[in-house]
Amino acid sequence: TSFHATVGVDDSSGNRSRAVTFAVYADGKRVAVTPALKPGDAARDITADIAGRNVIELVTTSTGAANEIAVVVTWGSARLAN
């Protein structure tokens, strides 16, 4: 079983310099991560092997201070496949 999505930072995000990474965790272990993406960057595919796992977490992490303008992100076409 695998997880697939197309991820990216929405171009409407107010903070255009803030980088974001997308990660998939399975049972608490990181199983996939993207390079840092910013508004204007092309969307990227992310795929993770989740066979035999019970808990899947989709985590987005950004650089910068917590009080900065939020970055809008998308986990597009998210799906599970056998």
Side-chain angles (χ1 to χ4, degrees):
T1 304
S2 57
F3 170 82
H4 305 273
T6 301
V7 298
V9 180
D10 193 296
D11 289 341
S12 70
S13 292
N15 188 335
R16 306 219 26 102
S17 63
R18 199 162 168 187
V20 177
T21 58
F22 296 78
V24 178
Y25 287 78
D27 292 340
K29 179 182 176 187
R30 190 173 75 186
V31 292
V33 66
T34 66
L37 302 173
K38 292 181 179 179
D41 288 346
R44 295 186 65 116
D45 292 331
I46 187 169
T47 300
D49 180 5
I50 56 169
R53 306 300 181 127
N54 295 307
V55 178
I56 307 303
E57 298 170 90
L58 308 180
V59 178
T60 306
T61 307
S62 65
T63 60
N67 63 347
E68 289 185 21
I69 297 171
V71 176
V72 180
V73 300
T74 301
W75 290 82
S77 301
R79 63 205 177 277
L80 300 175
N82 285 326

